[in-house]
């Protein structure tokens, strides 16, 4: 294996890496502080499209993690960037929360249920049968199907919740149309994120807790990858995948000294 360039930029997943069920993971505060003090470009990523970066900044601050708004990158922002590149000034029927609708408003998209260019499906705690039926009919009428992320379940204090990927499967079954997923593991989310901070993949690292999204996206974007064991992937599961992270560590605390 050829030697990689020194790591100058860091991308890290949020849930399972920095926080877990609303509580910071030990070492997360030191990691974020070290990044800020080093002035290295960095992004905190999440596939969850419910919240705006401003919302997430406030939530992380309440947990003691000071992450600037401009250092937060969501699947909603990646989706909006993709749509703005594909069809500037377009229209969309949106199933989602403020994180997604705000991102689309900010790029000048019209949100409508009348002959939209796209049906855009994101995360929400209140998926309604009426909204899903509307999405099915609009897709059958010619709207293109876009999803913020493929995660089938999301975490909650009560246990797993159905997420975007599960609802997308329902709509696909009803329409026969597969969506385009903008979020992880699509390396598009990594590349657009790197572009926003002026970073390059060959000198960047991705930290995540999931082999099937974080590590895969980092590998496909050409970054060094770190798997932490504080989230969903267990040590014995790593060998089940046909690809490997660059390194496996116990937690974000083990990466602080590498910044």
């Amino acid at each position: 294996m050829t030697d990689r360039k020194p790591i100058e930029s860091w991308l890290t997943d949020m849930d399972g890496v920095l926080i877990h069920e609303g509580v910071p993971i030990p070492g997360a505060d030191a990691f974020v502080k070290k990044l800020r003090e080093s002035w290295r470009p960095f992004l905190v990523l999440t596939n969850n499209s419910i919240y705006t970066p401003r919302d997430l900044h406030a939530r992380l601050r309440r947990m003691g993690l000071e992450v600037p708004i401009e250092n937060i990158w969501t699947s909603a922002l990646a989706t909006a960037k993709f749509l703005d590149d594909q069809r500037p000034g377009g229209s969309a029927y949106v199933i989602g929360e403020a994180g997604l609708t705000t991102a689309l408003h900010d790029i000048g998209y019209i949100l409508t249920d009348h002959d939209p260019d796209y049906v855009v499906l994101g995360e929400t705690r209140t998926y309604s049968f009426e909204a899903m039926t509307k999405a099915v009919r609009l897709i059958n009428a010619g709207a293109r199907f876009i999803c913020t992320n493929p995660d089938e379940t999301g975490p909650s204090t009560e246990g797993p919740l159905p997420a975007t990927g599960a609802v997308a499967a329902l709509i696909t079954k009803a329409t026969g149309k597969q969506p385009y997923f903008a979020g992880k593991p699509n390396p598009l989310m990594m590349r657009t994120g790197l572009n926003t901070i002026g970073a390059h993949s060959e000198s960047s690292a991705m930290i995540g807790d999931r082999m099937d999204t974080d590590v895969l996206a980092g590998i496909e974007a050409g970054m060094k990858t770190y798997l932490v064991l504080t989230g969903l992937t267990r040590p014995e599961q790593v060998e089940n995948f046909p690809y490997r992270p660059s390194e496996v560590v116990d937690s974000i605390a083990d990466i602080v000294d590498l910044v």
Side-chain angles (χ1 to χ4, degrees):
M1 182 180 294
T2 58
D3 292 335
R4 295 186 61 91
K5 293 182 178 180
I7 298 172
E8 298 176 356
S9 309
W10 292 86
L11 274 63
T12 176
D13 187 41
M14 186 169 66
D15 292 306
V17 179
L18 299 181
I19 62 174
H20 178 68
E21 293 183 355
V23 178
I25 290 171
D29 54 346
F31 178 72
V32 172
K33 183 180 180 183
K34 188 84 174 286
L35 282 174
R36 299 192 67 198
E37 291 177 345
S38 70
W39 293 97
R40 294 187 184 277
F42 76 95
L43 283 178
V44 173
L45 292 86
T46 177
N47 255 0
N48 191 319
S49 64
I50 289 178
Y51 304 106
T52 68
R54 188 178 299 277
D55 295 332
L56 292 171
H57 164 77
R59 294 181 76 216
L60 290 169
R61 171 178 274 181
R62 287 195 296 271
M63 300 177 205
L65 302 178
E66 191 61 46
V67 181
I69 294 170
E70 60 270 20
N71 293 105
I72 297 173
W73 190 246
T74 71
S75 63
L77 294 176
T79 300
K81 179 68 172 68
F82 171 74
L83 293 179
D84 193 35
D85 289 341
Q86 289 282 305
R87 191 178 291 264
S91 61
Y93 175 69
V94 178
I95 299 176
E97 302 285 346
L100 182 55
T101 56
T102 299
L104 292 175
H105 271 303
D106 287 348
I107 62 165
Y109 254 55
I110 296 170
L111 306 188
T112 179
D113 61 0
H114 178 68
D115 193 27
D117 297 314
Y118 298 96
V119 166
V120 182
L121 174 65
E123 213 75 67
T124 175
R125 295 286 190 253
T126 56
Y127 289 113
S128 76
F129 185 77
E130 180 182 2
M132 288 186 282
T133 300
K134 174 72 73 173
V136 166
R137 291 171 180 170
L138 290 172
I139 292 168
N140 283 336
R144 301 151 189 86
F145 189 17
I146 303 289
C147 289
T148 56
N149 63 290
D151 301 56
E152 295 170 352
T153 61
S156 79
T157 54
E158 294 82 23
L161 295 171
T164 307
V167 179
L170 183 154
I171 294 174
T172 291
K173 194 72 173 178
T175 61
K177 302 289 179 62
Q178 295 284 345
Y180 180 79
F181 293 104
K184 297 176 293 179
N186 189 343
L188 171 83
M189 184 172 176
M190 303 291 152
R191 292 175 183 143
T192 53
L194 289 170
N195 288 342
T196 66
I197 58 173
H200 301 282
S201 60
E202 63 268 22
S203 57
S204 298
M206 174 65 197
I207 309 166
D209 69 306
R210 292 184 60 154
M211 287 289 291
D212 57 346
T213 55
D214 305 318
V215 171
L216 179 57
I219 289 172
E220 292 191 346
M223 293 186 286
K224 184 168 184 175
T225 55
Y226 290 87
L227 176 73
V228 298
L229 301 176
T230 48
L232 289 177
T233 303
R234 310 295 347 127
E236 64 274 11
Q237 295 175 316
V238 175
E239 293 297 333
N240 296 337
F241 293 86
Y243 49 85
R244 289 184 56 83
S246 306
E247 294 189 36
V248 179
V249 298
D250 288 333
S251 75
I252 193 69
D254 299 305
I255 300 177
V256 176
D257 290 339
L258 301 179
V259 177

